[in-house]
Amino acid sequence: GQNIDQPTEMTATEGAIVQINCTYQTSGFNGLFWYQQHAGEAPTFLSYNVLDGLEEKGRFSSFLSRSKGYSYLLLKELQMKDSASYLCAVRDSNYQLIWGAGTKLIIKP
Amino acid sequence: SQTIHQWPATLVQPVGSPLSLECTVEGTSNPNLYWYRQAAGRGLQLLFYSVGIGQISSEVPQNLSASRPQDRQFILSSKKLLLSDSGFYLCAWSVVPDRDTEAFFGQGTRLTVV
């Protein structure tokens, strides 16, 4: 079966750096997405990786290793507003998105 | 710019009652449209997707149905709700072809079946 694994919850301090990992086992691979979802709201797009390596976008970066079935989202200079759930999703061979359960990130002052 | 509208934001319905959630997209033509459900602490579960008017693919057999009567309108329905239908329902759209692009989500509907 298809599987996306992320830690359930992480805690970090304001101003620090946090890395959220995602491992996947899917039938084919056509890209990996990271979304941010605040409680009770819709997910919003953060990043997309289809080739190995690091994609940087401001305070957020996302890394992909297709051979290892692994990605991470790196958040720098954490702010209180970054408290949210972070969803990893993989597009499989049928171009359908397979979603992880999300990682709830708690930021403490 | 493209926008997606989904309503209502919250809904409390008794078991056995019907359901109709509506989603409309503005600013684009012939989008791919999706209905997802998200249970508490769980990932997004794809319920239905549509690549055109009247074209609906169902991913999970259940007592829900979907329809696309117009190009930018997607409706999620049920004739008789079950307690297990409670959850957070999200409509989403993506451009065609959507192979390298992300999906954009509506605000979501929090459905509680009592």
PDB file of all heavy atoms in Angstrom, chain A residues 54-88:
ATOM      1  N   LEU A  54      17.614  20.742  -2.593  1.00  0.00           N
ATOM      2  CA  LEU A  54      16.994  21.702  -1.691  1.00  0.00           C
ATOM      3  C   LEU A  54      16.345  22.832  -2.474  1.00  0.00           C
ATOM      4  O   LEU A  54      16.941  23.396  -3.373  1.00  0.00           O
ATOM      5  CB  LEU A  54      18.082  22.271  -0.762  1.00  0.00           C
ATOM      6  CG  LEU A  54      17.633  23.133   0.401  1.00  0.00           C
ATOM      7  CD1 LEU A  54      16.872  22.317   1.427  1.00  0.00           C
ATOM      8  CD2 LEU A  54      18.840  23.817   1.059  1.00  0.00           C
ATOM      9  N   GLU A  55      15.101  23.153  -2.093  1.00  0.00           N
ATOM     10  CA  GLU A  55      14.384  24.295  -2.634  1.00  0.00           C
ATOM     11  C   GLU A  55      14.197  25.298  -1.505  1.00  0.00           C
ATOM     12  O   GLU A  55      13.639  24.965  -0.471  1.00  0.00           O
ATOM     13  CB  GLU A  55      13.011  23.878  -3.182  1.00  0.00           C
ATOM     14  CG  GLU A  55      13.050  22.969  -4.385  1.00  0.00           C
ATOM     15  CD  GLU A  55      13.353  23.717  -5.658  1.00  0.00           C
ATOM     16  OE1 GLU A  55      13.197  24.957  -5.676  1.00  0.00           O
ATOM     17  OE2 GLU A  55      13.757  23.074  -6.643  1.00  0.00           O
ATOM     18  N   GLU A  56      14.692  26.518  -1.720  1.00  0.00           N
ATOM     19  CA  GLU A  56      14.607  27.521  -0.665  1.00  0.00           C
ATOM     20  C   GLU A  56      13.623  28.611  -1.044  1.00  0.00           C
ATOM     21  O   GLU A  56      13.611  29.091  -2.176  1.00  0.00           O
ATOM     22  CB  GLU A  56      15.984  28.140  -0.395  1.00  0.00           C
ATOM     23  CG  GLU A  56      16.984  27.111   0.134  1.00  0.00           C
ATOM     24  CD  GLU A  56      18.323  27.724   0.516  1.00  0.00           C
ATOM     25  OE1 GLU A  56      18.436  28.225   1.645  1.00  0.00           O
ATOM     26  OE2 GLU A  56      19.229  27.712  -0.323  1.00  0.00           O
ATOM     27  N   LYS A  57      12.805  28.974  -0.059  1.00  0.00           N
ATOM     28  CA  LYS A  57      11.808  30.020  -0.277  1.00  0.00           C
ATOM     29  C   LYS A  57      11.673  30.818   0.999  1.00  0.00           C
ATOM     30  O   LYS A  57      10.882  30.494   1.879  1.00  0.00           O
ATOM     31  CB  LYS A  57      10.473  29.381  -0.683  1.00  0.00           C
ATOM     32  CG  LYS A  57       9.469  30.346  -1.258  1.00  0.00           C
ATOM     33  CD  LYS A  57       8.137  29.653  -1.595  1.00  0.00           C
ATOM     34  CE  LYS A  57       8.249  28.736  -2.764  1.00  0.00           C
ATOM     35  NZ  LYS A  57       6.917  28.194  -3.174  1.00  0.00           N
ATOM     36  N   GLY A  58      12.490  31.844   1.121  1.00  0.00           N
ATOM     37  CA  GLY A  58      12.452  32.684   2.315  1.00  0.00           C
ATOM     38  C   GLY A  58      12.906  31.916   3.540  1.00  0.00           C
ATOM     39  O   GLY A  58      13.955  31.271   3.543  1.00  0.00           O
ATOM     40  N   ARG A  59      12.079  31.920   4.580  1.00  0.00           N
ATOM     41  CA  ARG A  59      12.447  31.217   5.824  1.00  0.00           C
ATOM     42  C   ARG A  59      12.217  29.708   5.713  1.00  0.00           C
ATOM     43  O   ARG A  59      12.638  28.960   6.581  1.00  0.00           O
ATOM     44  CB  ARG A  59      11.617  31.758   6.993  1.00  0.00           C
ATOM     45  CG  ARG A  59      11.891  33.194   7.366  1.00  0.00           C
ATOM     46  CD  ARG A  59      11.191  33.603   8.656  1.00  0.00           C
ATOM     47  NE  ARG A  59       9.736  33.502   8.565  1.00  0.00           N
ATOM     48  CZ  ARG A  59       8.993  32.645   9.248  1.00  0.00           C
ATOM     49  NH1 ARG A  59       9.557  31.767  10.080  1.00  0.00           N
ATOM     50  NH2 ARG A  59       7.672  32.631   9.113  1.00  0.00           N
ATOM     51  N   PHE A  60      11.526  29.291   4.659  1.00  0.00           N
ATOM     52  CA  PHE A  60      11.205  27.879   4.501  1.00  0.00           C
ATOM     53  C   PHE A  60      12.057  27.257   3.402  1.00  0.00           C
ATOM     54  O   PHE A  60      12.264  27.849   2.346  1.00  0.00           O
ATOM     55  CB  PHE A  60       9.719  27.708   4.148  1.00  0.00           C
ATOM     56  CG  PHE A  60       8.765  28.104   5.245  1.00  0.00           C
ATOM     57  CD1 PHE A  60       9.207  28.642   6.444  1.00  0.00           C
ATOM     58  CD2 PHE A  60       7.402  27.957   5.065  1.00  0.00           C
ATOM     59  CE1 PHE A  60       8.328  29.004   7.450  1.00  0.00           C
ATOM     60  CE2 PHE A  60       6.502  28.313   6.066  1.00  0.00           C
ATOM     61  CZ  PHE A  60       6.970  28.838   7.254  1.00  0.00           C
ATOM     62  N   SER A  61      12.527  26.023   3.649  1.00  0.00           N
ATOM     63  CA  SER A  61      13.252  25.257   2.646  1.00  0.00           C
ATOM     64  C   SER A  61      12.710  23.837   2.662  1.00  0.00           C
ATOM     65  O   SER A  61      12.294  23.336   3.714  1.00  0.00           O
ATOM     66  CB  SER A  61      14.753  25.218   2.963  1.00  0.00           C
ATOM     67  OG  SER A  61      15.290  26.512   3.059  1.00  0.00           O
ATOM     68  N   SER A  62      12.738  23.179   1.508  1.00  0.00           N
ATOM     69  CA  SER A  62      12.300  21.789   1.452  1.00  0.00           C
ATOM     70  C   SER A  62      13.331  20.992   0.681  1.00  0.00           C
ATOM     71  O   SER A  62      13.866  21.442  -0.333  1.00  0.00           O
ATOM     72  CB  SER A  62      10.915  21.676   0.803  1.00  0.00           C
ATOM     73  OG  SER A  62      10.921  22.249  -0.486  1.00  0.00           O
ATOM     74  N   PHE A  63      13.611  19.800   1.187  1.00  0.00           N
ATOM     75  CA  PHE A  63      14.632  18.923   0.625  1.00  0.00           C
ATOM     76  C   PHE A  63      13.994  17.619   0.188  1.00  0.00           C
ATOM     77  O   PHE A  63      13.046  17.128   0.811  1.00  0.00           O
ATOM     78  CB  PHE A  63      15.707  18.641   1.679  1.00  0.00           C
ATOM     79  CG  PHE A  63      16.699  17.587   1.266  1.00  0.00           C
ATOM     80  CD1 PHE A  63      17.781  17.921   0.452  1.00  0.00           C
ATOM     81  CD2 PHE A  63      16.552  16.264   1.674  1.00  0.00           C
ATOM     82  CE1 PHE A  63      18.694  16.950   0.062  1.00  0.00           C
ATOM     83  CE2 PHE A  63      17.452  15.291   1.292  1.00  0.00           C
ATOM     84  CZ  PHE A  63      18.527  15.631   0.473  1.00  0.00           C
ATOM     85  N   LEU A  64      14.520  17.052  -0.884  1.00  0.00           N
ATOM     86  CA  LEU A  64      14.012  15.769  -1.379  1.00  0.00           C
ATOM     87  C   LEU A  64      15.155  14.835  -1.730  1.00  0.00           C
ATOM     88  O   LEU A  64      16.129  15.254  -2.384  1.00  0.00           O
ATOM     89  CB  LEU A  64      13.149  15.989  -2.622  1.00  0.00           C
ATOM     90  CG  LEU A  64      12.669  14.738  -3.337  1.00  0.00           C
ATOM     91  CD1 LEU A  64      11.670  13.949  -2.481  1.00  0.00           C
ATOM     92  CD2 LEU A  64      12.043  15.079  -4.692  1.00  0.00           C
ATOM     93  N   SER A  65      14.997  13.560  -1.335  1.00  0.00           N
ATOM     94  CA  SER A  65      15.867  12.484  -1.807  1.00  0.00           C
ATOM     95  C   SER A  65      14.949  11.378  -2.308  1.00  0.00           C
ATOM     96  O   SER A  65      14.316  10.665  -1.513  1.00  0.00           O
ATOM     97  CB  SER A  65      16.762  11.958  -0.679  1.00  0.00           C
ATOM     98  OG  SER A  65      17.402  10.752  -1.088  1.00  0.00           O
ATOM     99  N   ARG A  66      14.851  11.242  -3.607  1.00  0.00           N
ATOM    100  CA  ARG A  66      13.944  10.239  -4.184  1.00  0.00           C
ATOM    101  C   ARG A  66      14.443   8.825  -3.917  1.00  0.00           C
ATOM    102  O   ARG A  66      13.644   7.912  -3.686  1.00  0.00           O
ATOM    103  CB  ARG A  66      13.795  10.473  -5.681  1.00  0.00           C
ATOM    104  CG  ARG A  66      12.977  11.722  -6.019  1.00  0.00           C
ATOM    105  CD  ARG A  66      13.029  12.009  -7.496  1.00  0.00           C
ATOM    106  NE  ARG A  66      14.373  12.367  -7.923  1.00  0.00           N
ATOM    107  CZ  ARG A  66      14.749  12.516  -9.194  1.00  0.00           C
ATOM    108  NH1 ARG A  66      13.861  12.335 -10.156  1.00  0.00           N
ATOM    109  NH2 ARG A  66      15.972  12.854  -9.492  1.00  0.00           N
ATOM    110  N   SER A  67      15.753   8.607  -3.920  1.00  0.00           N
ATOM    111  CA  SER A  67      16.280   7.257  -3.690  1.00  0.00           C
ATOM    112  C   SER A  67      15.972   6.775  -2.279  1.00  0.00           C
ATOM    113  O   SER A  67      15.806   5.567  -2.056  1.00  0.00           O
ATOM    114  CB  SER A  67      17.791   7.233  -3.948  1.00  0.00           C
ATOM    115  OG  SER A  67      18.459   8.092  -3.044  1.00  0.00           O
ATOM    116  N   LYS A  68      15.880   7.704  -1.344  1.00  0.00           N
ATOM    117  CA  LYS A  68      15.593   7.339   0.040  1.00  0.00           C
ATOM    118  C   LYS A  68      14.108   7.473   0.387  1.00  0.00           C
ATOM    119  O   LYS A  68      13.716   7.122   1.496  1.00  0.00           O
ATOM    120  CB  LYS A  68      16.422   8.198   0.998  1.00  0.00           C
ATOM    121  CG  LYS A  68      17.919   7.975   0.883  1.00  0.00           C
ATOM    122  CD  LYS A  68      18.692   8.831   1.886  1.00  0.00           C
ATOM    123  CE  LYS A  68      20.187   8.572   1.762  1.00  0.00           C
ATOM    124  NZ  LYS A  68      20.989   9.415   2.686  1.00  0.00           N
ATOM    125  N   GLY A  69      13.311   7.998  -0.528  1.00  0.00           N
ATOM    126  CA  GLY A  69      11.897   8.213  -0.210  1.00  0.00           C
ATOM    127  C   GLY A  69      11.727   9.149   0.973  1.00  0.00           C
ATOM    128  O   GLY A  69      10.942   8.880   1.892  1.00  0.00           O
ATOM    129  N   TYR A  70      12.437  10.267   0.928  1.00  0.00           N
ATOM    130  CA  TYR A  70      12.572  11.127   2.107  1.00  0.00           C
ATOM    131  C   TYR A  70      12.556  12.593   1.708  1.00  0.00           C
ATOM    132  O   TYR A  70      13.143  12.998   0.708  1.00  0.00           O
ATOM    133  CB  TYR A  70      13.883  10.775   2.813  1.00  0.00           C
ATOM    134  CG  TYR A  70      14.329  11.740   3.881  1.00  0.00           C
ATOM    135  CD1 TYR A  70      13.663  11.839   5.087  1.00  0.00           C
ATOM    136  CD2 TYR A  70      15.452  12.541   3.663  1.00  0.00           C
ATOM    137  CE1 TYR A  70      14.096  12.712   6.068  1.00  0.00           C
ATOM    138  CE2 TYR A  70      15.891  13.424   4.636  1.00  0.00           C
ATOM    139  CZ  TYR A  70      15.213  13.497   5.842  1.00  0.00           C
ATOM    140  OH  TYR A  70      15.630  14.371   6.811  1.00  0.00           O
ATOM    141  N   SER A  71      11.876  13.355   2.541  1.00  0.00           N
ATOM    142  CA  SER A  71      11.861  14.805   2.381  1.00  0.00           C
ATOM    143  C   SER A  71      11.859  15.444   3.759  1.00  0.00           C
ATOM    144  O   SER A  71      11.480  14.818   4.760  1.00  0.00           O
ATOM    145  CB  SER A  71      10.609  15.243   1.606  1.00  0.00           C
ATOM    146  OG  SER A  71      10.466  16.653   1.592  1.00  0.00           O
ATOM    147  N   TYR A  72      12.313  16.674   3.823  1.00  0.00           N
ATOM    148  CA  TYR A  72      12.120  17.446   5.040  1.00  0.00           C
ATOM    149  C   TYR A  72      11.778  18.883   4.704  1.00  0.00           C
ATOM    150  O   TYR A  72      12.139  19.401   3.647  1.00  0.00           O
ATOM    151  CB  TYR A  72      13.331  17.377   5.983  1.00  0.00           C
ATOM    152  CG  TYR A  72      14.607  18.029   5.514  1.00  0.00           C
ATOM    153  CD1 TYR A  72      14.754  19.416   5.454  1.00  0.00           C
ATOM    154  CD2 TYR A  72      15.703  17.246   5.147  1.00  0.00           C
ATOM    155  CE1 TYR A  72      15.936  20.010   5.042  1.00  0.00           C
ATOM    156  CE2 TYR A  72      16.896  17.830   4.730  1.00  0.00           C
ATOM    157  CZ  TYR A  72      17.004  19.210   4.678  1.00  0.00           C
ATOM    158  OH  TYR A  72      18.176  19.792   4.255  1.00  0.00           O
ATOM    159  N   LEU A  73      11.070  19.494   5.629  1.00  0.00           N
ATOM    160  CA  LEU A  73      10.745  20.920   5.569  1.00  0.00           C
ATOM    161  C   LEU A  73      11.518  21.592   6.690  1.00  0.00           C
ATOM    162  O   LEU A  73      11.439  21.175   7.850  1.00  0.00           O
ATOM    163  CB  LEU A  73       9.242  21.132   5.757  1.00  0.00           C
ATOM    164  CG  LEU A  73       8.753  22.579   5.711  1.00  0.00           C
ATOM    165  CD1 LEU A  73       8.888  23.142   4.295  1.00  0.00           C
ATOM    166  CD2 LEU A  73       7.300  22.669   6.177  1.00  0.00           C
ATOM    167  N   LEU A  74      12.291  22.607   6.337  1.00  0.00           N
ATOM    168  CA  LEU A  74      13.108  23.317   7.306  1.00  0.00           C
ATOM    169  C   LEU A  74      12.544  24.717   7.500  1.00  0.00           C
ATOM    170  O   LEU A  74      12.381  25.453   6.523  1.00  0.00           O
ATOM    171  CB  LEU A  74      14.554  23.400   6.815  1.00  0.00           C
ATOM    172  CG  LEU A  74      15.596  23.883   7.812  1.00  0.00           C
ATOM    173  CD1 LEU A  74      15.833  22.806   8.875  1.00  0.00           C
ATOM    174  CD2 LEU A  74      16.916  24.205   7.109  1.00  0.00           C
ATOM    175  N   LEU A  75      12.237  25.052   8.722  1.00  0.00           N
ATOM    176  CA  LEU A  75      11.714  26.373   9.045  1.00  0.00           C
ATOM    177  C   LEU A  75      12.736  27.123   9.907  1.00  0.00           C
ATOM    178  O   LEU A  75      13.110  26.649  10.974  1.00  0.00           O
ATOM    179  CB  LEU A  75      10.385  26.279   9.799  1.00  0.00           C
ATOM    180  CG  LEU A  75       9.159  25.739   9.061  1.00  0.00           C
ATOM    181  CD1 LEU A  75       9.215  24.238   8.894  1.00  0.00           C
ATOM    182  CD2 LEU A  75       7.881  26.150   9.784  1.00  0.00           C
ATOM    183  N   LYS A  76      13.158  28.275   9.445  1.00  0.00           N
ATOM    184  CA  LYS A  76      14.153  29.070  10.157  1.00  0.00           C
ATOM    185  C   LYS A  76      13.499  30.277  10.820  1.00  0.00           C
ATOM    186  O   LYS A  76      12.407  30.697  10.445  1.00  0.00           O
ATOM    187  CB  LYS A  76      15.234  29.553   9.198  1.00  0.00           C
ATOM    188  CG  LYS A  76      15.955  28.458   8.431  1.00  0.00           C
ATOM    189  CD  LYS A  76      16.950  29.052   7.440  1.00  0.00           C
ATOM    190  CE  LYS A  76      17.617  27.967   6.615  1.00  0.00           C
ATOM    191  NZ  LYS A  76      18.534  28.536   5.578  1.00  0.00           N
ATOM    192  N   GLU A  77      14.193  30.819  11.811  1.00  0.00           N
ATOM    193  CA  GLU A  77      13.731  32.039  12.488  1.00  0.00           C
ATOM    194  C   GLU A  77      12.244  31.923  12.838  1.00  0.00           C
ATOM    195  O   GLU A  77      11.422  32.751  12.447  1.00  0.00           O
ATOM    196  CB  GLU A  77      13.980  33.261  11.602  1.00  0.00           C
ATOM    197  CG  GLU A  77      15.435  33.462  11.234  1.00  0.00           C
ATOM    198  CD  GLU A  77      15.614  34.538  10.162  1.00  0.00           C
ATOM    199  OE1 GLU A  77      14.657  35.303   9.909  1.00  0.00           O
ATOM    200  OE2 GLU A  77      16.695  34.581   9.560  1.00  0.00           O
ATOM    201  N   LEU A  78      11.934  30.895  13.571  1.00  0.00           N
ATOM    202  CA  LEU A  78      10.544  30.581  13.851  1.00  0.00           C
ATOM    203  C   LEU A  78       9.804  31.743  14.501  1.00  0.00           C
ATOM    204  O   LEU A  78      10.321  32.432  15.376  1.00  0.00           O
ATOM    205  CB  LEU A  78      10.451  29.351  14.758  1.00  0.00           C
ATOM    206  CG  LEU A  78      10.745  28.012  14.087  1.00  0.00           C
ATOM    207  CD1 LEU A  78      10.870  26.911  15.126  1.00  0.00           C
ATOM    208  CD2 LEU A  78       9.669  27.681  13.064  1.00  0.00           C
ATOM    209  N   GLN A  79       8.562  31.913  14.044  1.00  0.00           N
ATOM    210  CA  GLN A  79       7.682  32.925  14.600  1.00  0.00           C
ATOM    211  C   GLN A  79       6.450  32.234  15.178  1.00  0.00           C
ATOM    212  O   GLN A  79       6.114  31.113  14.786  1.00  0.00           O
ATOM    213  CB  GLN A  79       7.284  33.922  13.505  1.00  0.00           C
ATOM    214  CG  GLN A  79       8.468  34.602  12.840  1.00  0.00           C
ATOM    215  CD  GLN A  79       8.070  35.476  11.663  1.00  0.00           C
ATOM    216  OE1 GLN A  79       6.890  35.736  11.431  1.00  0.00           O
ATOM    217  NE2 GLN A  79       9.072  35.937  10.916  1.00  0.00           N
ATOM    218  N   MET A  80       5.782  32.925  16.082  1.00  0.00           N
ATOM    219  CA  MET A  80       4.605  32.316  16.723  1.00  0.00           C
ATOM    220  C   MET A  80       3.554  31.941  15.685  1.00  0.00           C
ATOM    221  O   MET A  80       2.860  30.926  15.836  1.00  0.00           O
ATOM    222  CB  MET A  80       4.015  33.264  17.767  1.00  0.00           C
ATOM    223  CG  MET A  80       4.945  33.590  18.934  1.00  0.00           C
ATOM    224  SD  MET A  80       5.533  32.126  19.807  1.00  0.00           S
ATOM    225  CE  MET A  80       4.004  31.524  20.529  1.00  0.00           C
ATOM    226  N   LYS A  81       3.464  32.717  14.612  1.00  0.00           N
ATOM    227  CA  LYS A  81       2.468  32.439  13.586  1.00  0.00           C
ATOM    228  C   LYS A  81       2.757  31.153  12.808  1.00  0.00           C
ATOM    229  O   LYS A  81       1.918  30.679  12.049  1.00  0.00           O
ATOM    230  CB  LYS A  81       2.361  33.605  12.622  1.00  0.00           C
ATOM    231  CG  LYS A  81       3.603  33.804  11.755  1.00  0.00           C
ATOM    232  CD  LYS A  81       3.423  34.961  10.781  1.00  0.00           C
ATOM    233  CE  LYS A  81       4.639  35.123   9.882  1.00  0.00           C
ATOM    234  NZ  LYS A  81       4.483  36.236   8.921  1.00  0.00           N
ATOM    235  N   ASP A  82       3.959  30.595  12.999  1.00  0.00           N
ATOM    236  CA  ASP A  82       4.297  29.332  12.327  1.00  0.00           C
ATOM    237  C   ASP A  82       3.667  28.130  13.032  1.00  0.00           C
ATOM    238  O   ASP A  82       3.760  26.997  12.537  1.00  0.00           O
ATOM    239  CB  ASP A  82       5.821  29.152  12.272  1.00  0.00           C
ATOM    240  CG  ASP A  82       6.507  30.222  11.445  1.00  0.00           C
ATOM    241  OD1 ASP A  82       5.875  30.722  10.482  1.00  0.00           O
ATOM    242  OD2 ASP A  82       7.660  30.576  11.765  1.00  0.00           O
ATOM    243  N   SER A  83       3.055  28.364  14.183  1.00  0.00           N
ATOM    244  CA  SER A  83       2.342  27.274  14.867  1.00  0.00           C
ATOM    245  C   SER A  83       1.192  26.819  13.979  1.00  0.00           C
ATOM    246  O   SER A  83       0.257  27.577  13.692  1.00  0.00           O
ATOM    247  CB  SER A  83       1.788  27.764  16.212  1.00  0.00           C
ATOM    248  OG  SER A  83       2.816  28.024  17.127  1.00  0.00           O
ATOM    249  N   ALA A  84       1.261  25.572  13.518  1.00  0.00           N
ATOM    250  CA  ALA A  84       0.294  25.049  12.558  1.00  0.00           C
ATOM    251  C   ALA A  84       0.612  23.578  12.338  1.00  0.00           C
ATOM    252  O   ALA A  84       1.588  23.056  12.882  1.00  0.00           O
ATOM    253  CB  ALA A  84       0.393  25.811  11.228  1.00  0.00           C
ATOM    254  N   SER A  85      -0.194  22.942  11.529  1.00  0.00           N
ATOM    255  CA  SER A  85       0.132  21.588  11.075  1.00  0.00           C
ATOM    256  C   SER A  85       0.774  21.686   9.706  1.00  0.00           C
ATOM    257  O   SER A  85       0.406  22.540   8.889  1.00  0.00           O
ATOM    258  CB  SER A  85      -1.126  20.721  10.997  1.00  0.00           C
ATOM    259  OG  SER A  85      -1.576  20.385  12.273  1.00  0.00           O
ATOM    260  N   TYR A  86       1.748  20.819   9.451  1.00  0.00           N
ATOM    261  CA  TYR A  86       2.463  20.809   8.179  1.00  0.00           C
ATOM    262  C   TYR A  86       2.234  19.449   7.520  1.00  0.00           C
ATOM    263  O   TYR A  86       2.536  18.407   8.094  1.00  0.00           O
ATOM    264  CB  TYR A  86       3.941  21.110   8.404  1.00  0.00           C
ATOM    265  CG  TYR A  86       4.125  22.541   8.847  1.00  0.00           C
ATOM    266  CD1 TYR A  86       4.026  22.899  10.186  1.00  0.00           C
ATOM    267  CD2 TYR A  86       4.346  23.560   7.919  1.00  0.00           C
ATOM    268  CE1 TYR A  86       4.127  24.219  10.590  1.00  0.00           C
ATOM    269  CE2 TYR A  86       4.460  24.882   8.313  1.00  0.00           C
ATOM    270  CZ  TYR A  86       4.338  25.201   9.650  1.00  0.00           C
ATOM    271  OH  TYR A  86       4.434  26.516  10.044  1.00  0.00           O
ATOM    272  N   LEU A  87       1.649  19.505   6.332  1.00  0.00           N
ATOM    273  CA  LEU A  87       1.237  18.305   5.622  1.00  0.00           C
ATOM    274  C   LEU A  87       2.191  18.012   4.472  1.00  0.00           C
ATOM    275  O   LEU A  87       2.501  18.899   3.674  1.00  0.00           O
ATOM    276  CB  LEU A  87      -0.183  18.473   5.057  1.00  0.00           C
ATOM    277  CG  LEU A  87      -1.279  18.907   6.025  1.00  0.00           C
ATOM    278  CD1 LEU A  87      -2.585  19.112   5.284  1.00  0.00           C
ATOM    279  CD2 LEU A  87      -1.453  17.882   7.119  1.00  0.00           C
ATOM    280  N   CYS A  88       2.603  16.763   4.406  1.00  0.00           N
ATOM    281  CA  CYS A  88       3.432  16.277   3.306  1.00  0.00           C
ATOM    282  C   CYS A  88       2.512  15.482   2.369  1.00  0.00           C
ATOM    283  O   CYS A  88       1.675  14.697   2.834  1.00  0.00           O
ATOM    284  CB  CYS A  88       4.531  15.393   3.881  1.00  0.00           C
ATOM    285  SG  CYS A  88       5.565  14.539   2.682  1.00  0.00           S
TER     286      CYS A  88
END
